[in-house]
């Protein structure tokens, strides 16, 4: 995700300095005009706006700690990773103590959205800080301020809750179509354009029919996000029974193929319905 996002910034004419824990990944951006820094602190030293895009909250905390000595007072850190709300709030508190501002701005849209500059960007922070960052964020997608620091992560979790749940429902619908004697491919075509139409039915419904589970958005990432949904719900005093079931389905696939595409939740459904399998094509799974 980081590479196409940085590429969009460079194409928009911004001066970009990059750093990655794996130096070779940062070097790929040098031919596009990026400056490559040796250390995180050196990368941020002259920056007014600092963007992080990392795997999970603990890694974000590590990178912020490494960058902290180089951050200018009043710099604006925008973390676009998907983390827990509490982790975003902790980053906000830590940076504020050093006079540094913070926005959590996780995204949805995947690598394709990052390449196209069409990411949904859900930002949590002050209105003034968002106004300062909005033009930069707009080069990568559609930014929306959803509340104070930490609320960007809540919005992303709402997104992942809907995505994860809908993937399960699409799998159930296609398997039901076949078990009931209908052609699942034709059923998918028939219901498209009605109220059941969605990007997930379009893209992941086709993946399920093809049994193409090569990684896009991965099972391990979806499971992590759904676990964070349940943590956020518990912190808010809520129980989300559908999400609990969906999370368990992803957990069962996680044990088998953590890097498979999230549409591989179909495998969990088939596992609890012995003798039922969507189509007769071979599974395409990462090694």
């Amino acid at each position: 995700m980081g590479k196409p996002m940085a590429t969009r910034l460079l194409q928009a004419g911004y001066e970009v300095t990059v750093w990655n824990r794996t130096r070779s990944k940062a070097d790929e951006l040098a031919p596009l005009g990026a400056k490559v820094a040796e250390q995180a602190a050196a990368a941020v030293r002259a920056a007014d706006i600092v963007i992080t895009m990392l795997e999970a909250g603990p890694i974000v905390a590590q990178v912020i700690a490494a960058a902290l000595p180089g951050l200018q007072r009043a710099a604006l850190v925008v973390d676009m990773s998907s983390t827990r709300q509490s982790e975003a709030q902790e980053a906000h508190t830590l940076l504020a103590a050093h006079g540094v501002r913070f926005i959590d701005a996780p995204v949805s849209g995947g690598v394709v959205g990052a390449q196209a500059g069409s990411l949904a960007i859900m930002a949590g922070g002050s209105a003034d800080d968002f106004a300062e960052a909005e033009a930069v964020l707009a080069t990568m997608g559609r930014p929306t301020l959803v509340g104070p620091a930490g609320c960007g992560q809540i919005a992303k979790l709402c997104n992942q809750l809907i995505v994860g749940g809908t993937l399960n429902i699409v799998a159930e619908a296609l398997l039901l179509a076949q078990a009931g004697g209908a052609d699942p491919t034709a059923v998918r075509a028939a219901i498209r354009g009605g109220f059941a139409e969605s990007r997930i039915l379009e893209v992941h419904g086709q993946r399920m029919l093809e049994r193409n589970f090569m990684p896009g958005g991965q099972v391990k990432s979806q499971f992590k996000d759904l676990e964070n949904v349940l943590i956020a719900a518990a912190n808010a005093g809520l129980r989300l029974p559908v999400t609990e079931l969906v999370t368990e389905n992803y957990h069962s696939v996680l044990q088998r193929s953590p890097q498979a595409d999230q549409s591989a939740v179909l495998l969990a459904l088939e596992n609890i319905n012995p003798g039922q399998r969507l189509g007769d094509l071979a599974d395409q799974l990462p090694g």
Side-chain angles (χ1 to χ4, degrees), residues 134-220:
E134 187 172 9
V136 172
L137 296 175
T139 67
M140 296 177 279
R142 179 176 53 83
T144 303
L145 181 65
V146 298
C151 287
Q153 298 301 338
I154 287 292
K156 175 60 186 290
L157 294 179
C158 292
N159 180 86
Q160 294 307 95
L161 185 159
I162 293 169
V163 169
T166 306
L167 279 159
N168 277 255
I169 292 297
V170 168
E172 290 187 4
L174 294 176
L175 197 61
L176 173 62
Q178 178 172 286
D183 177 351
T185 300
V187 169
R188 172 179 169 273
I191 63 179
R192 292 193 62 194
F195 282 147
E197 176 66 288
S198 70
R199 182 70 172 158
I200 291 172
L201 179 63
E202 176 191 353
V203 174
H204 293 287
Q206 185 63 33
R207 276 180 164 269
M208 292 175 191
L209 291 168
E210 295 173 352
R211 303 192 71 86
N212 176 12
F213 306 129
M214 296 304 291
Q218 297 182 7
V219 165
K220 64 179 182 178

Side-chain angles (χ1 to χ4, degrees), residues 5-16 32 135-136 138-140:
M5 292 164 73
T7 299
R8 296 287 307 184
L9 292 169
L10 288 162
Q11 290 172 338
Y14 287 101
E15 183 178 329
V16 179
L32 302 179
V136 172
T139 67
M140 296 177 279

Side-chain angles (χ1 to χ4, degrees), residues 12-277:
Y14 287 101
E15 183 178 329
V16 179
T17 300
V18 296
W19 175 83
N20 193 287
R21 291 171 297 160
T22 303
R23 171 63 189 256
S24 60
K25 293 181 179 180
D27 286 340
E28 292 176 10
L29 288 159
L32 302 179
K35 298 177 182 177
V36 179
E38 295 288 342
Q39 298 177 331
V44 305
R45 191 155 285 127
D48 297 314
I49 296 178
V50 175
I51 295 173
T52 51
M53 186 60 171
L54 296 155
E55 182 179 359
I59 299 172
V60 175
Q62 292 172 15
V63 170
I64 287 178
L68 195 56
L71 285 168
Q72 299 184 89
R73 192 167 183 83
L76 177 57
V77 173
V78 182
D79 177 40
M80 304 188 77
S81 319
S82 292
T83 73
R84 296 179 183 177
Q85 181 185 31
S86 60
E87 291 168 332
Q89 291 168 333
E90 288 165 6
H92 170 65
T93 300
L94 171 67
L95 291 168
H98 290 81
V100 177
R101 298 167 296 149
F102 177 79
I103 291 175
D104 58 302
V107 304
S108 179
V111 174
V112 172
Q115 292 169 337
S118 61
L119 293 170
I121 303 171
M122 298 149 272
S126 76
D128 288 344
D129 290 344
F130 177 75
E132 181 176 332
E134 187 172 9
V136 172
L137 296 175
T139 67
M140 296 177 279
R142 179 176 53 83
T144 303
L145 181 65
V146 298
C151 287
Q153 298 301 338
I154 287 292
K156 175 60 186 290
L157 294 179
C158 292
N159 180 86
Q160 294 307 95
L161 185 159
I162 293 169
V163 169
T166 306
L167 279 159
N168 277 255
I169 292 297
V170 168
E172 290 187 4
L174 294 176
L175 197 61
L176 173 62
Q178 178 172 286
D183 177 351
T185 300
V187 169
R188 172 179 169 273
I191 63 179
R192 292 193 62 194
F195 282 147
E197 176 66 288
S198 70
R199 182 70 172 158
I200 291 172
L201 179 63
E202 176 191 353
V203 174
H204 293 287
Q206 185 63 33
R207 276 180 164 269
M208 292 175 191
L209 291 168
E210 295 173 352
R211 303 192 71 86
N212 176 12
F213 306 129
M214 296 304 291
Q218 297 182 7
V219 165
K220 64 179 182 178
S221 298
Q222 184 64 256
F223 176 72
K224 178 204 75 172
D225 289 342
L226 290 171
E227 274 199 315
N228 287 341
V229 168
L230 294 177
I231 290 168
N235 290 340
L238 293 176
R239 185 180 173 200
L240 304 177
V242 173
T243 304
E244 290 172 5
L245 291 171
V246 171
T247 304
E248 180 54 38
N249 284 345
Y250 274 105
H251 184 256
S252 69
V253 182
L254 182 71
Q255 297 171 323
R256 173 179 172 181
S257 190
Q259 294 180 322
D261 184 79
Q262 54 197 336
S263 58
V265 74
L266 172 67
L267 302 176
L269 178 62
E270 292 173 341
N271 189 53
I272 62 175
N273 288 281
Q276 298 289 346
R277 186 178 188 276

